[in-house]
Amino acid sequence: MASEPVEEYISDIGPPHYEKFLPPVIKNNYGKWAYHEVLKPGVLVHVAESGDKIYTVRVGSPRLLSIYTIRELCDIADKYCDGYLRFTSRNNIEFLLTDESKIDPLIEEVEKLGFPVGGTWDATKAKYALSNIVHTQGWIHCHTPAIDASGPVKALMDALFDHFKNMDLPGLCRISLACCLNMCGAVHASDISLVGIHRTPPMVDDDVVRRTCELPSTVAGCPTGALRPDMKNKTIKVDKEKCMYCGNCYTMCPGMPLFDPENGGVAILAGGKLSDARSPARLSKVVVPYLPNNPPRWPEVVDTVKAILEAWAAEAKPHERIAEWIDRIGWEKFFEKTGIEFKVQLIDDFRQPRHTFRTTTQFRW
Amino acid sequence: MSDEEFPLLSELKKGPWPSFVKEIEKTAEKKPEMKDLLKQLERSYEDKITYWKHGGIVSVKGYGGGVIGRYSFLAKECPGVAEFHTMRVNQPAGWFYTSDALRTICDIWEKYGSGLTNMHGSTGDIILLGTTTQNLQPCFNELAKNGWDLGGSGSALRTPSACVGPARCEFALIDTLELCYDLTITYQDELHRPMWPYKFKFKIAGCPNDCVAAKARSDFAIVGTWKDEIKINQEEVKKYAEAGVDIKTQVVDNCPTKCIEYDEEKKELKIDNSNCVRCMHCINVLPKALKPGDERGAVILMGGKAPILEGPVMGWVVVPFIKAEKPFDEIKELAEAVWDFWDENGKFRERLAELIERVGMMRFLEAIGVEPDPRMIKEPRANPFYFWREEDLKERTNPWEIWRRAESE
């Protein structure tokens, strides 16, 4: 009996080569761009040494997209961009055009779909728009989140919408959100970061621990030594005094969740940056240790972020980011100007806190 | 969906920013089972807790990662999402697409999955959000047949990502896209078969502006830089000045090392390049007038990571300058030396930064064969608590012998 031909199993091919997706004008001018200008909020032109031009229309997205919306975006790309589009590292959509006359009709059509054009900045004119908020999965798909992700981001971007549309800020401001300390969105070097935090220790279910967990690696995974194995009962005991609720144990062992709907919430960090422009890149610092987890629109979080953003926007010099504004005015004035209460949790007591204590008589009143 | 049915979620359909709830609704219109996702999410909004179970080991033939297994606690109430696994699809470098390519992915995901995606996930992959165990393998097979592959997950190399680079940015100092593609293809085994203590990330930024957050978000950040002088086009400087750019305030006053001078009369810039730290600010503001030099390469910063376990880390400069030209052998040799050391010394769930801190930067540099350089540090240590090796020292004299000889004299 003749056997069926075995179909070759395709694997480890890697992603398609990017060149397949580059518009001809980019292929022709790859690595030979001379400069760019911002024609209006959301619209860039890059000019090559050859004189060729490519126009970019930047569009905000909720990151969570249905294939039906993606197809609509493809229709727009087909109509105006010969089918070429890309996404940015902050989840914006970028339409790539060569015909300047098609920019305005494209904008009209994409905005009619409900997707706003904006998020650009013009460094030459020191005019900056707010870009999209990078964020994680939250309740839509994650098993460890202290808060939702898409919800607070939607509420915030609604409140900050005009700053996305208009280049009305003095410098770059990157906002990001991670729904737990695992930070798959790695938000720890943003101008403003929102982080979902737990505030109560893991709730151990001995039976689940016995069935699903490896005791030694779970115990070893605790950074503060708050866990010890209970070998007799084949489970884990938690020293609640030592736990700082990082959730690493839950990542290792499904038997010890930290969820606590009434106590979980949001920490707010500020003053991080990633670009080395002017001042060095640096990590964000905690400025609000806890705000309640308050769906569906997280008003406390929205108000606090707005307070930081507006205080900075009102006072910053051109190009000055939140970190640099704080460098100039001092942390003591940051709390005064934003109206944020300085709480004892903001004084570091984890690893090597000595580097954050003030060692000089220089400060402001 | 009626707003009465999901009152909390419908609050998030309001407002000017595009709504993720509407995106889920769009899938539910075509795929009735997706109504269960709305049901489960509404329940999370009421109860302020996730209803996704912890883990679930699912994958496709031959791979140890690329799929995130997900099961619902509400399987009875929401059977449509009882199994709701994610597939991470390796994005093309720089996130460039044609509409044809995107439509192919949409068609495959319509056939085998929920129709919901993230464009893109935090690491950079195309995230196909929600399918059943049964559909994983046929979905993968069809993706592969169309030229797409899965990205990384678990204790593996994670999908490398890169900024837009030379494709559409005048600031790109290295070919971020080609380097990203090359590393991804070279290390397919490391990407698809987790075998390390924990995850490892490459991110590639074309210049110090770092639009992919490489410094903070990757164990091995490759950031474009240059060594020689900034090129000045004085004609363009004049044009900027005449167009009203306040060069003194905007550029000169913002230079971190005060190495730029501006002659208001001649409308000319002068740069003391020996004191320039290549921060990019002047080039960002005056892109027509200022260009980075021609001696180009990359800085390698290692150890960048999020807070788990020992706190967040901004990557540390380990190699201040390295060539980044095809076939990128120097970068690959360095990465492989790091992995060898990590394999030998890393503990379970220990990221590179934590390993380096535990064993000491000195030992790490020695292991990967990198010479010390003042560009690696902000300042030298304040304590003299360091280790000497036998080869650094002369033969030891025993003090007791000296004293006893003296006593017996």
Side-chain angles (χ1 to χ4, degrees):
Chain A
M1 203 173 112
S3 60
E4 289 280 307
V6 180
E7 214 176 309
E8 194 202 346
Y9 187 62
I10 307 168
S11 77
D12 296 277
I13 55 172
H17 196 274
Y18 56 89
E19 210 179 78
K20 288 168 69 176
F21 306 133
L22 300 179
V25 63
I26 283 187
K27 270 192 211 164
N28 295 339
N29 296 284
Y30 193 87
K32 291 184 180 135
W33 297 101
Y35 65 91
H36 76 280
E37 286 175 330
V38 182
L39 298 180
K40 57 182 172 182
V43 182
L44 311 172
V45 59
H46 283 79
V47 182
E49 288 162 11
S50 66
D52 287 354
K53 290 179 180 175
I54 186 157
Y55 300 93
T56 300
V57 176
R58 185 172 294 169
V59 177
S61 109
R63 188 180 86 133
L64 196 79
L65 291 175
S66 68
I67 54 171
Y68 311 103
T69 297
I70 296 174
R71 284 175 183 152
E72 288 169 329
L73 297 168
C74 287
D75 290 342
I76 293 177
D78 286 341
K79 196 162 160 191
Y80 300 102
C81 313
D82 301 317
Y84 294 104
L85 69 167
R86 70 176 291 266
F87 293 80
T88 71
S89 55
R90 301 193 74 81
N91 307 315
N92 295 307
I93 304 149
E94 287 186 339
F95 290 98
L96 305 167
L97 310 84
T98 44
D99 183 348
E100 192 174 2
S101 70
K102 288 182 177 169
I103 293 173
D104 287 337
L106 186 154
I107 291 175
E108 196 182 326
E109 199 161 330
V110 79
E111 293 213 314
K112 211 155 72 186
L113 257 188
F115 289 78
V117 171
T120 54
W121 63 93
D122 186 336
T124 307
K125 294 188 178 137
K127 288 184 172 177
Y128 296 80
L130 184 71
S131 191
N132 205 341
I133 298 178
V134 294
H135 63 101
T136 55
Q137 296 287 23
W139 293 331
I140 199 88
H141 203 256
C142 183
H143 65 300
T144 67
I147 56 169
D148 189 31
S150 296
V153 165
K154 160 76 174 142
L156 265 164
M157 285 309 284
D158 280 342
L160 304 174
F161 188 72
D162 288 347
H163 294 306
F164 180 84
K165 293 284 297 172
N166 304 303
M167 302 195 296
D168 57 3
L169 297 172
L172 276 176
C173 182
R174 301 305 200 199
I175 305 179
S176 17
L177 180 144
C179 49
C180 85
L181 288 176
N182 276 323
M183 273 196 198
C184 59
V187 306
H188 55 292
S190 307
D191 298 85
I192 302 175
S193 329
L194 308 148
V195 185
I197 55 162
H198 300 290
R199 295 198 301 160
T200 44
M203 195 67 90
V204 180
D205 184 302
D206 292 340
D207 182 50
V208 180
V209 171
R210 251 172 253 139
R211 280 190 289 112
T212 60
C213 305
E214 206 201 33
L215 301 192
S217 55
T218 306
V219 169
C222 177
T224 61
L227 305 182
R228 63 185 171 80
D230 175 354
M231 296 317 271
K232 198 172 140 206
N233 297 306
K234 293 198 171 62
T235 184
I236 289 172
K237 290 265 181 282
V238 183
D239 180 346
K240 291 176 183 160
E241 295 291 308
K242 285 187 184 165
C243 175
M244 48 69 173
Y245 334 110
C246 71
N248 194 49
C249 54
Y250 184 56
T251 302
M252 313 274 289
C253 166
M256 34 204 323
L258 290 87
F259 301 109
D260 182 339
E262 293 315 315
N263 285 303
V266 187
I268 297 194
L269 289 72
K273 72 193 277 278
L274 269 161
S275 163
D276 271 321
R278 299 171 307 282
S279 62
R282 68 192 83 172
L283 299 171
S284 315
K285 314 297 188 292
V286 182
V287 295
V288 180
Y290 169 80
L291 288 172
N293 182 17
N294 200 358
R297 294 198 73 98
W298 288 268
E300 299 85 353
V301 172
V302 171
D303 288 349
T304 308
V305 170
K306 270 187 91 166
I308 297 171
L309 189 104
E310 302 301 347
W312 159 76
E315 289 213 347
K317 294 184 173 177
H319 310 294
E320 200 171 59
R321 293 179 70 158
I322 289 179
E324 295 160 320
W325 174 58
I326 296 168
D327 281 347
R328 180 163 60 81
I329 65 165
W331 278 104
E332 57 275 36
K333 292 286 171 189
F334 168 85
F335 288 99
E336 192 181 301
K337 287 173 190 293
T338 55
I340 291 173
E341 188 189 345
F342 185 82
K343 296 214 163 127
V344 70
Q345 289 87 356
L346 305 183
I347 299 177
D348 196 356
D349 59 359
F350 189 53
R351 302 272 195 258
Q352 301 191 316
R354 66 178 79 151
H355 298 296
T356 62
F357 300 153
R358 201 184 293 258
T359 55
T360 164
T361 55
Q362 297 183 0
F363 40 77
R364 298 164 179 85
W365 289 108
Chain B
M1 116 190 176
S2 70
D3 290 350
E4 296 78 46
E5 206 175 348
F6 305 113
L8 294 172
L9 290 181
S10 64
E11 284 301 313
L12 290 166
K13 288 164 66 181
K14 300 171 185 167
W17 190 252
S19 166
F20 69 98
V21 176
K22 288 186 189 167
E23 292 300 313
I24 306 172
E25 277 183 337
K26 263 180 159 172
T27 62
E29 279 162 26
K30 300 280 169 93
K31 292 173 172 278
E33 70 272 19
M34 283 297 282
K35 201 174 163 188
D36 286 347
L37 183 66
L38 290 163
K39 223 190 253 180
Q40 172 165 334
L41 194 58
E42 179 76 14
R43 190 67 190 272
S44 280
Y45 269 65
E46 284 165 17
D47 301 342
K48 300 200 274 190
I49 195 165
T50 184
Y51 280 104
W52 298 110
K53 285 186 182 177
H54 190 298
I57 296 170
V58 283
S59 192
V60 298
K61 201 168 70 182
Y63 284 17
V67 179
I68 313 301
R70 195 62 78 224
Y71 297 91
S72 172
F73 275 111
L74 302 177
K76 268 188 223 149
E77 193 186 328
C78 307
V81 294
E83 293 172 8
F84 202 66
H85 313 313
T86 279
M87 300 181 84
R88 289 186 182 166
V89 177
N90 198 330
Q91 82 286 4
W95 300 288
F96 281 93
Y97 296 94
T98 56
S99 53
D100 283 351
L102 283 177
R103 285 182 209 279
T104 303
I105 292 172
C106 289
D107 292 349
I108 296 171
W109 195 231
E110 184 164 40
K111 191 165 159 194
Y112 295 108
S114 69
L116 206 59
T117 77
N118 289 148
M119 298 299 278
H120 294 80
S122 293
T123 305
D125 301 272
I126 302 162
I127 302 294
L128 301 180
L129 205 63
T131 188
T132 58
T133 310
Q134 202 188 352
N135 276 347
L136 288 172
Q137 191 67 50
C139 185
F140 171 76
N141 293 348
E142 202 158 326
L143 284 166
K145 226 181 277 174
N146 284 280
W148 297 92
D149 198 349
L150 297 186
S153 69
S155 294
L157 176 66
R158 297 300 182 85
T159 312
S161 74
C163 71
V164 67
R168 201 212 48 204
C169 183
E170 68 269 30
F171 302 146
L173 292 151
I174 56 176
D175 191 344
T176 56
L177 303 188
E178 188 55 29
L179 178 52
C180 183
Y181 178 76
D182 192 315
L183 291 174
T184 311
I185 294 296
T186 306
Y187 298 119
Q188 284 289 296
D189 202 29
E190 286 78 0
L191 188 70
H192 291 139
R193 287 158 204 96
M195 54 188 147
W196 284 329
Y198 202 11
K199 63 179 112 173
F200 191 93
K201 296 185 178 181
F202 280 123
K203 286 192 193 293
I204 304 149
C207 82
N209 285 327
D210 196 358
C211 290
V212 277
K215 292 180 212 118
R217 299 189 48 188
S218 56
D219 304 84
F220 196 105
I222 305 165
V223 182
T225 189
W226 73 97
K227 264 187 163 176
D228 54 341
E229 303 198 336
I230 292 178
K231 291 180 273 187
I232 308 176
N233 181 334
Q234 301 290 5
E235 278 310 302
E236 293 293 344
V237 175
K238 277 193 191 78
K239 281 189 202 161
Y240 275 122
E242 279 153 16
V245 179
D246 181 349
I247 293 179
K248 169 83 173 50
T249 321
Q250 302 283 334
V251 180
V252 176
D253 292 352
N254 275 304
C255 173
T257 60
K258 307 288 169 235
C259 72
I260 309 186
E261 283 174 42
Y262 180 58
D263 185 327
E264 298 267 1
E265 243 164 64
K266 288 189 195 154
K267 296 193 171 63
E268 277 182 13
L269 278 178
K270 205 166 90 185
I271 299 177
D272 170 11
N273 280 279
S274 67
N275 197 27
C276 169
V277 290
R278 294 160 187 81
C279 83
M280 291 297 292
H281 177 76
C282 59
I283 297 172
N284 288 341
V285 176
L286 307 175
K288 286 184 194 171
L290 301 175
K291 302 271 171 224
D294 291 322
E295 196 185 346
R296 297 171 174 197
V299 186
I300 309 286
L301 298 98
M302 292 192 199
K305 60 178 275 293
I308 301 290
L309 279 174
E310 298 291 333
V313 175
M314 186 73 80
W316 302 314
V317 172
V318 171
V319 179
F321 193 85
I322 193 167
K323 270 200 192 139
E325 281 155 24
K326 248 184 140 172
F328 309 111
D329 285 340
E330 288 183 42
I331 289 173
K332 288 178 195 167
E333 279 163 22
L334 183 68
E336 286 165 26
V338 170
W339 295 339
D340 278 347
F341 185 74
W342 196 34
D343 275 341
E344 288 285 318
N345 299 283
K347 287 189 195 170
F348 182 54
R349 274 180 76 79
E350 187 175 55
R351 291 284 287 273
L352 183 61
E354 284 143 353
L355 168 63
I356 294 172
E357 272 193 330
R358 183 165 59 79
V359 304
M361 183 61 96
M362 200 189 280
R363 215 181 117 197
F364 176 68
L365 293 177
E366 207 170 71
I368 61 168
V370 171
E371 292 294 321
D373 188 302
R375 291 166 194 88
M376 292 172 178
I377 54 164
K378 285 182 193 157
E379 56 187 4
R381 66 206 293 163
N383 62 72
F385 303 157
Y386 32 72
F387 299 101
W388 292 109
R389 301 287 162 94
E390 220 161 283
E391 58 265 31
D392 297 323
L393 306 169
K394 293 178 187 162
E395 202 185 332
R396 181 162 192 185
T397 314
N398 185 337
W400 293 108
E401 278 175 26
I402 301 173
W403 294 327
R404 281 172 191 147
R405 206 184 307 134
E407 276 181 329
S408 67
E409 269 168 16

